[in-house]
Amino acid sequence: MFFRSRNNKREMKENKLILGFIGLMVSGCLYAQPPVSDPQMDALVGDLMSRMTLDEKIGQLNLLAVGFDVTGPQLSKDAETKIRHGLVGGILNTYTPDAVRKLQSLAVKESRLGIPLLFGYDLIHGHKTVFPIPLALSCTWNPDLIERSACIAATEASADGINWTFSPMVDIARDPRWGRIAEGAGEDPYLGAQIARAMVRGYQGDDLSRSNALMACVKHFALYGAAEAGRDYNTVDMSRIRMYQYYLPPYQAAVEAGAGSVMSSFNEINGVPATANHWLLTDLLRTQWGFQGFVVTDYAAISEMSEHGMGDFRKDAALALNAGVDMDMVSEAYLNYLPELVAHGEISESMIDQACRRILEAKYKLGLFTDPYRGCTMERARREMLTPENRKAAREMAEQSFVLLKNDRQLLPLKKSGVIALVGPLADDQENLLGCCRGGGDWQQAVSLRTGISHVAGSAVTILHAKGANLTDDPALRATLKAFGEEIPVDSRSPREMVAEAVAMAARADVVVAVLGEAFSMSGEAASRSDIGLPECQRDLLQALVETGKPVVLVLMNGRPLTLGWEAEHCGAILETWFGGTEAGNAVADVLFGNYNPSGKLTATFPRNVGQIPIYYNHKNTGRPYLSDPGAKYVSRFLDVSNDPLYPFGYGLSYTTFAYGDIKLSQTNLIGDQTLLASVAVTNAGRRAGEETVQLYLSQPAASVTRSVEDLRGFQKVRLQPGETREVTFRITPDDLKFYNGNLEYDWEPGEFIVRIGSDSASLKSATVRWSKQAVTAKTP
Ligand code: BGC
């Protein structure tokens, strides 16, 4: 039975009154900001809640894992029986119209009140059409394109029965050892916030009830990317000022963009796990930011709280609910303990009502009470997934996400003629191209680079192919990945034989393209690495190829910044292609042969070695900055490596070059709300059309708290023909000068500001202005 009384107007009206009263009480004591009222929604939800038992309300707070993917150590049992008894609010990891319809019809036809289920899934970078991994997408510096990727993902996934995505992941990451750096937008809060907004818009659109929209879930709230040593799930400890300045802005941006849900993170914050953290989930999220949706835990996070040291499971259920967690993913702590906690007066029933209401409201907004299946059919799924247009978009996104790290003597682009030795474990690979967190993606749909080259370069190019090396020969790593069910295929030949074959091919070729990197399972969740170089067997192969004396183009496929000191010294060209998704091979070939001129810019710093980590561009100056004098002692430096990264934030080359003129300012003394115009002339000084991301950074050398050496505050992408010059202008207002002061107030302080504009965070023109709060009045004698 589907929600029976939806047409009973009289009943709805009566319940509206009751609801209005409850709503007032709720808003009076629990909401800092009154919820946006929707009388129809309030009536429907109110009516339902007036007829729900306590167990049924608790059931709405229960999210079970059923089906295809397992992302934690537990899987839910007896899901079907529980659905029939109204003890489940949502399911994760089930999709396809048939599977979803089956479970949804149990809920709407066989449970007492017929309340539909949410169907959540990790759609991290696409569904069937898989886009580049999020870290790669962020390197496009193109929020519109990223919004489109989320929009396409929503269309495909909703056709497959999903209505809720556990995305965007907006965790700032300054540590590439952390495998989940692959799932985010890198290290910068300004760019991260823009991308967070774009993704929420892309998934949700402006009307969640459209059958092709998905509800977004911002994760992992909060600070999950700051795990000590980059070891996944490790402790986070951070000052408030650092979190406000650098880590919280993307979450806040996603909330402000209207994200329907937020996921609490696994880590602790200020000594209390996020899932039990009232300050985080209520004071900050709801009171300060005005969040109106619901909060779900990460996978079984309540059951992990005792391991954190928070006492037993039963107590932790109460802690989580009181902190502000509405929905319990997988652990079933709410289902098992909330009834008795209410009975013993240890939690108040109104907390359960509040959580239940938030979940029912989300279901209402998704239109589930009107059509619980949201029009998903096998026919629609076939029609809307992996369409040629979606593949085309994936190819475009992949092209824009690649970062050209080195290109000596214009080794790239390659000519569409001659002989190429295409070598390496990823040269003819499909399986790894989708990267981590590939959701419903099917790697067999992915285009390998070898195939892509045949599409793009045609028959005038002769390709000699050799694998050359396994992805890794490290037995311990292989054993661990095997235990995870992610076995790395190993060639039966010895490493020496494989290298010899590749070297022989290189000898016959004009140029070597070495396609090296990580297995997809070496980044993503539970995939931290302490050594982030190329695996040894691949490095040996590369060394042998370099020794042939043939020009070597290194094409990288990987999920994190790598340490590439040796490679940067010895390879003629390096193209970072991350894991490029379904169309990776075509897109890489487009770039290698110059059909697309690379334009990606790094959003995470590439360190020289692991000892430099954490290394990020918006660091503090310290009291003893190192200013490049090699003899300087007692300054903040290493003895054995420079302070500079190998490749800085914002960096990325093109097949053309861009020349920057000096900064022109509209004025150099500003007062109050005035607007500063800062312009540079950017010239395409090469012979190919190309796109440049012009970046604006601001610094404030003196303030009431120490500031970053510079902060990104704007960027513009410009496409220039050879020889063309464009004046690029940034409008800077006092809003761009704001930061969190010692009292955590977001404001600006008068003083001197350095405006920096250029092509990456380390290659910038600069100019200085003074900005005061008010005009200095002349003193009367
Ligand atoms: C991950 C989340 C994910 C969840 C559900 C967890 O292990 O941390 O990012 O959304 O599983 O699959």
Side-chain angles (χ1 to χ4, degrees):
M1 160 209 66
F2 178 48
F3 179 47
R4 273 171 305 185
S5 65
R6 71 187 195 282
N7 293 323
N8 185 338
K9 288 208 179 108
R10 200 173 64 102
E11 207 176 314
M12 275 164 65
K13 217 167 174 184
E14 280 165 12
N15 282 319
K16 206 150 105 186
L17 287 175
I18 302 169
L19 222 204
F21 179 57
I22 297 171
L24 261 183
M25 282 179 52
V26 168
S27 64
C29 46
L30 299 165
Y31 282 113
Q33 302 196 359
V36 182
S37 146
D38 174 337
Q40 256 181 328
M41 175 176 81
D42 294 349
L44 186 144
V45 171
D47 167 60
L48 255 184
M49 286 188 55
S50 70
R51 293 184 292 124
M52 290 170 84
T53 62
L54 179 65
D55 285 346
E56 284 167 336
K57 289 177 188 165
I58 293 169
Q60 287 303 305
L61 321 187
N62 193 27
L63 176 64
L64 294 188
V66 178
F68 311 132
D69 290 347
V70 182
T71 43
Q74 304 177 31
L75 195 62
S76 314
K77 297 203 181 67
D78 308 327
E80 295 192 9
T81 314
K82 285 176 185 149
I83 294 172
R84 284 196 184 90
H85 290 133
L87 300 180
V88 182
I91 297 289
L92 76 145
N93 295 347
T94 292
Y95 58 92
T96 71
D98 286 350
V100 165
R101 280 183 169 267
K102 180 175 166 223
L103 294 183
Q104 191 67 298
S105 70
L106 288 183
V108 298
K109 293 194 186 129
E110 296 185 34
S111 75
R112 191 178 76 89
L113 293 170
I115 301 174
L117 299 165
L118 293 170
F119 283 89
Y121 195 49
D122 284 305
L123 284 168
I124 308 302
H125 48 120
H127 183 49
K128 292 292 172 186
T129 308
V130 178
F131 304 112
I133 55 168
L135 181 62
L137 280 177
S138 69
C139 294
T140 65
W141 293 56
N142 189 339
D144 292 343
L145 199 73
I146 293 171
E147 180 173 339
R148 210 164 117 223
S149 78
C151 182
I152 294 172
T155 303
E156 290 194 352
S158 56
D160 227 2
I162 296 160
N163 50 42
W164 181 26
T165 171
F166 302 127
S167 171
M169 183 192 109
V170 303
D171 305 316
I172 293 293
R174 293 171 163 182
D175 193 331
R177 291 171 296 185
W178 189 52
R180 299 196 83 172
I181 196 170
E183 293 179 58
E187 71 192 36
D188 180 64
Y190 175 87
L191 182 62
Q194 299 224 5
I195 291 176
R197 269 184 226 113
M199 292 193 72
V200 172
R201 279 196 306 266
Y203 288 132
Q204 299 195 161
D206 48 17
D207 177 8
L208 261 188
S209 72
R210 281 179 308 120
S211 64
N212 59 358
L214 295 179
M215 182 171 61
C217 184
V218 186
K219 69 187 191 186
H220 305 83
F221 194 57
L223 320 181
Y224 180 45
E228 284 176 1
R231 204 183 70 216
D232 210 0
Y233 318 122
N234 202 4
T235 306
V236 170
D237 194 5
M238 170 182 312
S239 67
R240 285 268 156 102
I241 196 161
R242 173 176 274 198
M243 62 175 97
Y244 272 82
Q245 212 89 278
Y246 303 105
Y247 282 81
L248 295 178
Y251 305 106
Q252 188 175 4
V255 164
E256 284 170 5
S261 62
V262 166
M263 184 185 291
S264 66
S265 54
F266 287 128
N267 54 282
E268 66 175 69
I269 292 167
N270 215 15
V272 179
T275 301
N277 200 311
H278 187 276
W279 171 79
L280 182 78
L281 300 181
T282 299
D283 301 347
L284 178 69
L285 182 63
R286 295 198 182 270
T287 311
Q288 289 186 35
W289 294 356
F291 175 62
Q292 307 268 329
F294 72 88
V295 174
V296 61
T297 69
D298 202 344
Y299 205 100
I302 301 180
S303 63
E304 292 168 12
M305 270 157 54
S306 58
E307 300 288 354
H308 270 289
M310 301 304 288
D312 67 32
F313 201 16
R314 180 178 179 279
K315 179 185 151 214
D316 295 340
L319 280 178
L321 188 77
N322 286 329
V325 168
D326 302 303
M327 195 173 223
D328 168 6
M329 188 192 288
V330 177
S331 82
E332 304 215 64
Y334 281 4
L335 199 70
N336 291 323
Y337 296 114
L338 292 191
E340 79 180 69
L341 285 163
V342 173
H344 294 137
E346 290 171 69
I347 55 164
S348 93
E349 202 173 330
S350 68
M351 290 299 289
I352 294 173
D353 283 348
Q354 173 183 256
C356 175
R357 171 176 303 282
R358 288 174 181 153
I359 288 156
L360 294 176
E361 286 177 356
K363 292 182 176 183
Y364 175 89
K365 289 178 189 155
L366 280 165
L368 288 171
F369 290 109
T370 314
D371 175 5
Y373 309 102
R374 302 174 94 234
C376 76
T377 59
M378 292 308 269
E379 200 280 319
R380 178 178 154 206
R382 266 191 297 276
R383 192 167 14 100
E384 295 189 357
M385 292 195 284
L386 264 174
T387 61
E389 300 77 54
N390 294 358
R391 277 186 170 273
K392 190 164 167 265
R395 184 167 178 168
E396 194 184 324
M397 288 168 203
E399 287 167 352
Q400 291 197 30
S401 73
F402 302 155
V403 185
L404 183 62
L405 298 175
K406 182 178 177 189
N407 196 18
D408 262 6
R409 281 174 278 145
Q410 301 187 325
L411 179 54
L412 288 176
L414 301 173
K415 289 198 284 292
K416 288 182 184 164
S417 61
V419 182
I420 297 176
L422 181 65
V423 173
L426 293 160
D428 191 23
D429 172 86
Q430 290 173 281
E431 211 168 333
N432 290 285
L433 296 182
L434 306 188
C436 62
C437 48
R438 47 190 51 197
D442 172 6
W443 62 262
Q444 295 186 20
Q445 294 290 338
V447 180
S448 73
L449 178 55
R450 190 179 183 184
T451 305
I453 290 181
S454 69
H455 292 159
V456 169
S459 54
V461 175
T462 304
I463 300 291
L464 306 174
H465 169 254
K467 185 171 171 189
N470 291 312
L471 274 162
T472 173
D473 282 338
D474 173 355
L477 177 60
R478 283 213 314 244
T480 306
L481 293 173
K482 187 173 175 190
F484 292 176
E486 293 154 351
E487 196 163 354
I488 294 185
V490 176
D491 206 280
S492 57
R493 293 169 295 168
S494 72
R496 188 186 296 215
E497 271 175 277
M498 291 169 80
V499 171
E501 182 196 32
V503 165
M505 293 206 170
R508 287 163 50 204
D510 303 315
V511 58
V512 178
V513 174
V515 194
L516 309 181
E518 298 180 300
F520 81 90
S521 50
M522 286 162 68
S523 59
E525 186 169 358
S528 299
R529 293 179 66 200
S530 68
D531 174 353
I532 56 170
L534 283 177
E536 207 176 319
C537 58
Q538 296 191 54
R539 170 75 78 77
D540 292 346
L541 167 67
L542 190 63
Q543 246 158 355
L545 294 170
V546 166
E547 278 162 18
T548 64
K550 292 289 163 90
V552 175
V553 175
L554 172 60
V555 173
L556 291 165
M557 297 184 175
N558 49 281
R560 54 156 61 77
L562 300 174
T563 46
L564 297 168
W566 188 90
E567 294 78 355
E569 224 174 284
H570 294 94
C571 298
I574 306 180
L575 181 68
E576 174 57 83
T577 72
W578 311 108
F579 290 120
T582 309
E583 285 289 317
N586 285 331
V588 176
D590 284 338
V591 171
L592 288 180
F593 291 95
N595 288 5
Y596 182 83
N597 185 354
S599 61
K601 300 272 191 177
L602 296 179
T603 57
T605 302
F606 274 48
R608 291 178 189 277
N609 65 22
V610 168
Q612 286 186 313
I613 298 170
I615 180 167
Y616 46 93
Y617 86 94
N618 47 356
H619 60 86
K620 303 289 182 77
N621 202 36
T622 80
R624 294 185 174 193
Y626 174 53
L627 302 173
S628 78
D629 166 9
K633 198 177 176 184
Y634 304 116
V635 291
S636 184
R637 62 180 292 195
F638 296 105
L639 291 179
D640 54 355
V641 66
S642 94
N643 283 7
D644 300 329
L646 184 61
Y647 299 117
F649 175 84
Y651 173 83
L653 303 173
S654 160
Y655 293 155
T656 188
T657 49
F658 298 99
Y660 281 73
D662 287 335
I663 298 178
K664 282 179 272 165
L665 299 172
S666 57
Q667 51 192 318
T668 51
N669 275 297
L670 293 103
I671 302 167
D673 279 347
Q674 287 181 331
T675 297
L676 170 67
L677 301 180
S679 312
V680 285
V682 184
T683 303
N684 181 343
R687 271 182 264 135
R688 282 171 175 269
E691 194 164 32
E692 168 72 330
T693 302
V694 183
Q695 301 161 36
L696 165 76
Y697 298 81
L698 295 180
S699 316
Q700 184 169 21
S704 63
V705 292
T706 61
R707 306 285 315 275
S708 324
V709 290
E710 62 194 17
D711 289 300
L712 182 73
R713 281 291 176 266
F715 58 91
Q716 290 182 38
K717 288 179 84 94
V718 285
R719 189 174 166 74
L720 298 175
Q721 296 303 318
E724 186 183 348
T725 297
R726 183 93 48 87
E727 182 105 331
V728 176
T729 302
F730 292 95
R731 297 171 62 82
I732 303 167
T733 71
D735 265 351
D736 301 307
L737 312 178
K738 287 184 176 166
F739 61 97
Y740 287 95
N741 64 25
N743 298 323
L744 299 180
E745 295 147 348
Y746 190 59
D747 202 357
W748 66 284
E749 292 174 4
E752 183 185 286
F753 295 87
I754 306 172
V755 177
R756 302 176 199 268
I757 302 178
S759 65
D760 66 61
S761 61
S763 322
L764 299 165
K765 299 277 182 178
S766 63
T768 303
V769 298
R770 290 201 67 79
W771 212 313
S772 29
K773 289 253 167 172
Q774 60 217 357
V776 187
T777 44
K779 277 191 192 148
T780 41

